[in-house]
């Protein structure tokens, strides 16, 4: 039998790949054989990640995208299919968070976060549906969150968006199963990144999160790569509609002391 985890010559598009989890997964997929198009809004950051992918010996494409614009996402799709001829993997990692009490959270801020974190993934899935179906082994991987399952103090908009993304993952899995497209999600535990480091690094919030994590540490970004490779590969041919938590035991935990 061949290596069912081998991604050689697969084409992956990673939306939200210019920093943090998205960047780590884009480079990780390239390390496992995929040609990867890492994209985001910042041209300089796209260039930097593309160079890292090329250093792995993989092909890439320099193309920015704004997930709040369907025209921008469609242009990305057309550029990728024009350059590579096909798309096998779509990984949605674009997102941000805001910490604010619900009672005074402005509707504009709520809507803007939803438009990026949830609607952006929907747009990308809709836009890339055709190429993924044509692939015959299409894979969608959405980056969910512990907030897909749990409430976290004063980040209601983020948690609501991530809960919606998990629900969308399940619905797409059911609707697209007959099209040969597997749709799954990864729920990272606490991984310090540019987005959240100010909330978790040496703070009371961070200490509580560590206390609730049985492994008693935060995650390292490279620890997410193996699950992404699994979900992107032929090993996931009968795996769909699932969310795998990579969280050091956080969701499984009750009392830790």
């Amino acid at each position: 039998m061949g290596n069912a985890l081998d991604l050689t010559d697969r084409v992956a598009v990673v939306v939200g790949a210019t920093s943090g989890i998205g960047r780590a997964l884009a480079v990780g997929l390239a390390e496992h054989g995929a040609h990867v198009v890492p994209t985001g809004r910042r041209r300089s950051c796209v260039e930097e990640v593309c160079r890292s992918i090329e250093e792995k010996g993989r092909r890439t494409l320099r193309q920015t995208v704004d997930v709040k614009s369907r025209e921008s996402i469609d242009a990305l799709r057309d550029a990728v299919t024009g350059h590579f001829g096909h798309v096998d993997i779509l990984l949605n990692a674009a997102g941000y968070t805001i910490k604010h009490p619900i009672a005074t959270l402005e509707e504009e801020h709520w809507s803007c976060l939803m438009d990026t974190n949830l609607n952006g993934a929907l747009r990308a899935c809709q836009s890339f549906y055709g190429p993924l179906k044509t692939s015959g082994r299409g894979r969608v991987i959405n980056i969910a969150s512990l907030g897909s399952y749990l409430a976290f103090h004063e980040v209601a908009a983020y948690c609501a968006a991530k809960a919606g993304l998990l629900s969308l993952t399940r619905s797409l899995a059911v609707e697209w199963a007959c099209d040969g497209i597997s749709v799954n999600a990864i729920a990272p535990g606490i991984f310090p990144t540019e987005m959240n480091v100010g909330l978790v690094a040496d703070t009371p919030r961070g200490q509580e999160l560590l206390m609730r994590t049985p492994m008693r540490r935060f995650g390292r970004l490279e620890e997410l790569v193996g699950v992404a490779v699994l979900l992107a590969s032929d090993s996931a041919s009968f795996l769909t509609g699932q969310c795998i938590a990579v969280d050091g035991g956080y969701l499984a935990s009750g009392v830790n002391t």
Side-chain angles (χ1 to χ4, degrees), residues 6-253:
D6 184 17
L7 300 180
T8 299
D9 292 332
R10 305 286 175 95
V11 174
V13 175
V14 182
V15 181
T18 54
S19 63
I21 289 172
R23 186 193 187 285
L25 295 182
V27 175
L29 292 175
E31 288 175 339
H32 286 78
H35 304 302
V36 182
V37 179
T39 187
R41 291 182 296 112
R42 296 173 291 179
R43 169 69 66 176
S44 61
C45 295
V46 169
E47 290 277 355
E48 189 273 329
V49 184
C50 285
R51 286 193 293 270
S52 295
I53 289 167
E54 289 170 336
E55 289 171 359
K56 307 296 181 184
R58 312 304 174 200
R59 296 167 59 202
T60 189
L61 178 68
R62 289 157 170 80
Q63 178 86 16
T64 58
V65 74
D66 180 357
V67 297
K68 294 189 288 186
S69 166
R70 185 170 297 274
E71 292 76 12
S72 178
I73 294 174
D74 287 348
L76 170 67
R77 176 203 60 209
D78 293 344
V80 175
T81 55
H83 187 77
F84 290 97
H86 63 106
V87 178
D88 305 293
I89 303 155
L90 172 66
L91 194 154
N92 288 305
Y96 70 97
T97 190
I98 52 176
K99 183 177 183 294
H100 198 282
I102 300 172
T104 55
L105 179 63
E106 294 185 12
E107 185 175 337
E108 178 184 358
H109 293 161
W110 173 283
S111 298
C112 188
L113 186 144
M114 287 290 177
D115 201 26
T116 297
N117 293 28
L118 179 56
N119 298 349
L122 172 64
R123 293 185 189 103
C125 288
Q126 288 177 324
S127 183
F128 280 88
Y129 166 72
L132 291 169
K133 180 179 179 180
T134 300
S135 166
R137 53 188 181 186
R139 303 285 185 267
V140 177
I141 305 170
N142 293 322
I143 301 303
S145 168
L146 297 182
S148 300
Y149 299 94
L150 303 170
F152 287 81
H153 187 59
E154 293 186 348
V155 288
Y158 180 80
C159 290
K162 290 298 185 178
L165 184 60
L166 177 54
S167 181
L168 176 63
T169 298
R170 292 168 174 157
S171 295
L172 289 175
V174 171
E175 290 193 25
W176 292 0
C178 291
D179 296 320
I181 304 172
S182 296
V183 186
N184 294 288
I186 300 171
I190 311 304
F191 287 77
T193 66
E194 294 175 11
M195 184 176 74
N196 65 8
V197 66
L199 297 176
V200 303
D202 299 320
T203 65
R205 190 185 190 93
Q207 291 304 309
E208 181 178 354
L209 291 168
L210 284 172
M211 182 272 292
R212 292 174 180 268
T213 302
M215 288 191 176
R216 291 293 193 272
R217 66 174 177 86
F218 296 143
R220 298 184 292 269
L221 290 175
E222 62 269 21
E223 292 177 308
L224 292 168
V225 173
V227 175
V229 171
L230 166 67
L231 295 178
S233 72
D234 287 343
S235 292
S237 57
F238 199 57
L239 197 168
T240 197
Q242 304 304 306
C243 184
I244 300 176
V246 185
D247 65 352
Y250 194 107
L251 288 179
S253 176

